[in-house]
Amino acid sequence: MKTIKTPLNEKDILNLKMGEVVILSGEIYIARDQAHKRMFEVIKKGKKLPFDIRNQIIYYCGPTKTPKGKIIGSCGPTTSLRMDEFTPALLKKGLRLMIGKGDRSKEVKKAIRKFRAAYLLAPAGCGALISKYVRKAKPVAYSDLGPEQILKLEVKDFPLIVGIDSKGRNIYG
Amino acid sequence: MKVIKAEKITKVVSDLCVKANCVLRKDVLRKIRAAYLSEKNKKAKAALLAIINNAQIAQKEKLAICQDTGLPFVFIEMGQGVKIIGNLKQAVIRGIAQGYKKGNFRESIVSHPLKRGKSHYSGAVINTDIVTGNSLKITVLPKGFGCENKSQIKMFNPTASSGEIKKFIIEVVKSAGADACPPYVVGVGIGGTADYASLLAKKALINKLTTYNLRLTTDLLKGINNLNIGPMGLGGKATCLAVNIEHYPTHIAGLPVAVNISCHALRSASAKL
C-alpha cells in the first residue's frame, strides 16, 4: 500500500503501478461534466483556467448538498468516460491525476502516457463513506453550476486504486 | 370509495424520498452481504465491504447512499375506488422537492434536456396504473444516471431464440463494464411495445430480489457473472446480484426486449394509502 501527499511530486506519480492501492491525502479539485466543458472552452479561447491546474488532481464528482454540521454531503465518483472528450486538453495544461470510476477512452489513455499522468479509481457508489475522508471543502469557481461547480477539497487517507498508470497500463485491460 | 387529500400524498412522497435515498433496501443489502461472503478475489471483497460500510454510514448519519440521488421515478397504482382531493401530479412533484430538500440531496434535475439550465429538485417521471380496489400505492425509485445511461432496447423478430435474447442482455451488461457501479441488478422487460418493454424493465427493479428458478433468469445470472467484471470492475464473481424479469403480451410480428441496469445502490421505497 502506497501513500501520496500533495503537492504532488514527479516520482510519486511515476511510481504508481496499475492495480495497487494508494492512500491519498491533501488537496484535490472536484469537477464534472459542465465544469469540464467550460474549462475546455476557456483553453480553446486561450484564456486562463479558474485555478492553476499544473500538477493538480481532479476528482469527477458532484456532491449532494452539505447537511448542517457536516463538511460535505455524499460525494462518490461519477462515470469518468463522460469527461474524456475534454481530458487530453487538461492533461496538456498540466493536470496529473484524475479520480473517477470506470474505463477511459483510447485518446485519454494515450494522453495519460504522453503527459505521464495517472488515473485512480474511487470506491464507486460509496458517497457516504467517502465523505468521511474529506476534511475541508471550499467553492472555487462556476458557482452558478450548483452541484457541478468546482470545489477544492482537503482529503485525508482517501483509499484509491490505480486504474491507469503513467506507462498506460490499464486495470480494465 | 376512499378519499385522499393531495397534501397527504405530498407528505408520503417526501418521506419515501428520504427513506429510499438513505436506507438501502434490505433485499439488496442481503444480496451484497452474500456476495461479500462468497467472494474470493481480495480487491472485489474489499469493494463489497466498502459498499456495506457505506450503507451503514448512510443510514446512521442520514446521508444519501450515493451522491447521485437520481431522477426520481414514481410508480403509482391507483385503485378505481380512490378519489383524490386536489392535484395528484402536483402533489407528487411537491413531495419530491420537499423530500429532496429535507435530505440535502443533490439538485440533479434540469428543466429542459437541450437547454439544460440551472439544476433543481422539482421533477420526476410519474407512471400511473389504474387498478381495482380502494387503495393508492406509491413507490419512489431514485435512479442514478450512471446506470440509467446504459439502458438499451432491441426489437427482436418473433422467431428469435432465447439464446439470442440472452446474448443481447449479457452484451448490454458487458458494454456497461465497470461504468455503472457493479455489482448490478439487471431489470429486463420482455413484450408489449418498445416503450412498454422499457417501462417493464424499469418496473422489474422495484420487485423484490429473490432467486427465481426460471431457466432464463438463472442462465442470465450465470452468463453475466461469467463476464468477470466484478465489484468496481475489479474482477471476481459478483457482477450481478439479481436479474428481475417482467413480461407482457405482445404482437405476432415482434418481440421487444428492454434492459435497465441498476447500480448496486438500488434504492426504492413504497407506501400504501
Side-chain angles (χ1 to χ4, degrees), chain B residues 108-266:
Chain B
S108 308
I109 298 154
V110 287
S111 292
H112 193 285
L114 299 176
K115 292 179 197 158
R116 313 300 293 185
K118 201 173 182 318
S119 59
H120 53 76
Y121 288 136
S122 295
V125 177
I126 305 171
N127 179 265
T128 312
D129 201 6
I130 308 294
V131 296
T132 53
N134 288 317
S135 60
L136 182 77
K137 190 180 175 193
I138 305 172
T139 303
V140 177
L141 171 77
K143 187 82 188 324
F145 255 58
C147 53
E148 187 66 13
N149 280 338
K150 306 296 177 185
S151 313
Q152 285 190 41
I153 173 149
K154 186 165 177 173
M155 303 301 281
F156 281 92
N157 282 334
T159 50
S161 67
S162 70
E164 287 171 78
I165 293 168
K166 278 184 250 178
K167 196 176 159 218
F168 165 67
I169 297 166
I170 294 168
E171 275 300 316
V172 173
V173 179
K174 194 179 172 189
S175 70
D179 288 359
C181 292
Y184 300 129
V185 174
V186 179
V188 180
I190 304 178
T193 47
D195 48 356
Y196 201 69
S198 298
L199 177 67
L200 289 177
K202 174 69 61 63
K203 210 169 180 178
L205 296 175
I206 63 173
N207 295 344
K208 205 172 163 197
L209 310 185
T210 45
T211 314
Y212 299 104
N213 284 322
L214 284 175
R215 177 83 191 273
L216 184 58
T217 315
T218 46
D219 283 359
L220 283 170
L221 198 55
K222 207 172 150 196
I224 294 168
N225 283 328
N226 280 341
L227 291 172
N228 199 34
I229 296 171
M232 258 180 87
L234 301 171
K237 286 201 291 184
T239 299
C240 182
L241 299 169
V243 179
N244 276 5
I245 303 173
E246 286 268 311
H247 50 79
Y248 197 77
T250 191
H251 191 274
I252 52 169
L255 208 180
V257 178
V259 182
N260 196 295
I261 295 177
S262 171
C263 59
H264 58 74
L266 170 54

Side-chain angles (χ1 to χ4, degrees), chain A residues 19 62 70 74 76 101 129 132, chain B residues 43 54 61 64 67 106 179:
Chain A
K70 295 210 182 289
S74 193
K101 68 166 164 115
L129 174 70
K132 299 287 154 199
Chain B
K43 281 201 181 98
N54 183 66
E61 303 198 15
Q67 73 289 340
R106 197 173 74 186
D179 288 359

Side-chain angles (χ1 to χ4, degrees), chain A residues 38-106:
Chain A
R38 281 197 193 174
M39 288 194 285
F40 186 71
E41 295 296 323
V42 163
I43 292 170
K44 255 193 358 201
K45 285 180 188 148
K47 289 188 179 157
K48 223 176 130 194
L49 286 169
F51 65 95
D52 187 354
I53 200 166
R54 285 172 300 173
N55 218 30
Q56 294 303 328
I57 306 171
I58 288 184
Y59 175 31
Y60 305 136
C61 170
T64 61
K65 293 212 166 173
T66 306
K68 233 182 185 167
K70 295 210 182 289
I71 296 161
I72 197 164
S74 193
C75 54
T78 196
T79 310
S80 308
L81 199 65
R82 294 197 314 273
M83 310 325 139
D84 283 5
E85 59 174 303
F86 312 114
T87 299
L90 296 179
L91 287 167
K92 198 177 171 190
K93 285 283 171 192
L95 173 69
R96 296 306 294 277
L97 292 181
M98 296 152 286
I99 304 169
K101 68 166 164 115
D103 205 358
R104 309 302 302 259
S105 69
K106 265 190 204 139

